[in-house]
Amino acid sequence: MKLSVIIPCFNEAHHIRQVLDAVMLVNIATEIIVVDDGSTDETCKILEEYQQAHTIILHQSILNFGKGTAIRVGLKYVTGDIVIIQDADLEYDPKQYPKIINPILDGDAEVVYGSRFLGQITGMKLANRIANRILTWTANILFSAHITDEATCYKAFKTKLLKDLHLKSTRFEFCPEVTAKVRKRGIAIKEVPIAYVGRNTEQGKKIKWTDAFSAMWTLIKYRFID
């Protein structure tokens, strides 16, 4: 099976080289799809250099639309059997791909989340930790998700399923939307432990704990609509 890696990217000139190098080192047949979401730093230049030297599908946007939009755009280019989302920073290590996609390869799951709370967490602020716990609790109450980490970046899906969910999110509400829609179909979410190293806003972190309010509303909304 071929793995497609969608990398939404916005102003990540300091990290994108290391991320791409790490993805390329993963010993899996991998398709890399980078969606540059209106970067204004040197990210675009770096990505173009990589595109010339490697097999990378690159989509560049003039405006910054948000992570959800970037993922939906990237999904249009996917030709692999499995899709995984990779942030364009160093919080999540691509070396963990095999353990995340193995349940899908083994036929034990259609959807796998890499759980930080089952694994090892370094550098997560207390406010973010609390927001993550509340969102996970809400997903479990509303959708019987039986998960420990709703907001994790590392989510892997069978491609056919993800494309069939008709996603609408534009920003960070991708996570609650996809969780809600997967569970409303009665599909179990398998979790595996992963390691996570958080960064702060000074290091370029985009999401804020206040984005939890939008995520909460998204979970509630998709409990009642499709």
Side-chain angles (χ1 to χ4, degrees):
M1 285 192 174
K2 181 166 73 172
L3 174 66
S4 294
V5 181
I6 298 178
I7 307 178
C9 186
F10 175 63
N11 286 350
E12 293 289 356
H14 294 298
H15 300 107
I16 191 63
R17 290 185 187 276
Q18 293 164 282
V19 171
L20 289 174
D21 289 343
V23 173
M24 291 174 190
L25 286 174
V26 177
N27 190 25
I28 303 173
T30 303
E31 170 183 72
I32 303 173
I33 302 167
V34 184
V35 180
D36 177 66
D37 191 30
S39 293
T40 55
D41 62 0
E42 294 295 311
T43 299
C44 297
K45 181 179 179 181
I46 295 170
L47 290 174
E48 288 171 355
E49 293 172 2
Y50 268 80
Q51 189 180 29
Q52 294 169 7
H54 306 278
T55 306
I56 295 178
I57 300 169
L58 172 62
H59 178 99
Q60 291 180 309
S61 171
I62 297 175
L63 302 176
N64 176 242
F65 291 99
K67 180 177 180 177
T69 298
I71 291 172
R72 290 191 289 114
V73 169
L75 195 55
K76 295 179 181 179
Y77 294 91
V78 166
T79 63
D81 307 285
I82 301 171
V83 180
I84 193 168
I85 310 302
Q86 170 72 52
D87 281 349
D89 56 33
L90 302 177
E91 291 189 326
Y92 296 84
D93 189 344
K95 290 179 183 177
Q96 302 177 100
Y97 288 176
K99 71 161 65 173
I100 296 169
I101 69 171
N102 274 343
I104 299 177
L105 294 175
D106 293 340
D108 296 329
E110 293 183 73
V111 180
V112 181
Y113 285 11
S115 172
R116 297 165 292 180
F117 294 100
L118 291 178
Q120 182 178 359
I121 296 176
T122 303
M124 181 183 288
K125 289 185 177 179
L126 178 60
N128 294 86
R129 189 182 290 265
I130 293 172
N132 275 294
R133 291 296 196 184
I134 293 173
L135 287 172
T136 298
W137 177 81
T138 303
N140 288 336
I141 292 295
L142 293 178
F143 302 100
S144 299
H146 303 295
I147 57 177
T148 62
D149 194 355
E150 186 277 330
T152 178
C153 165
Y154 270 173
K155 293 175 166 68
F157 310 84
K158 284 188 175 180
T159 298
K160 185 178 183 301
L161 169 62
L162 187 59
K163 287 187 174 184
D164 196 46
L165 292 180
H166 306 295
L167 300 172
K168 301 175 182 177
S169 59
T170 58
R171 299 188 70 254
F172 294 112
E173 71 273 16
F174 164 79
C175 287
E177 179 187 9
V178 79
T179 298
K181 290 185 173 181
V182 163
R183 287 300 301 137
K184 286 179 78 170
R185 292 188 177 208
I187 298 170
I189 298 172
K190 174 79 172 178
E191 286 190 307
V192 297
I194 62 168
Y196 168 83
V197 180
R199 63 176 184 167
N200 55 41
T201 52
E202 288 74 23
Q203 295 169 314
K205 190 175 183 66
K206 309 299 188 303
I207 195 169
K208 301 177 177 62
W209 70 269
T210 51
D211 286 303
F213 293 109
S214 175
M216 178 71 74
W217 167 242
T218 301
L219 285 171
I220 295 170
K221 177 176 68 174
Y222 283 113
R223 178 64 181 85
F224 301 102
I225 67 170
D226 294 323

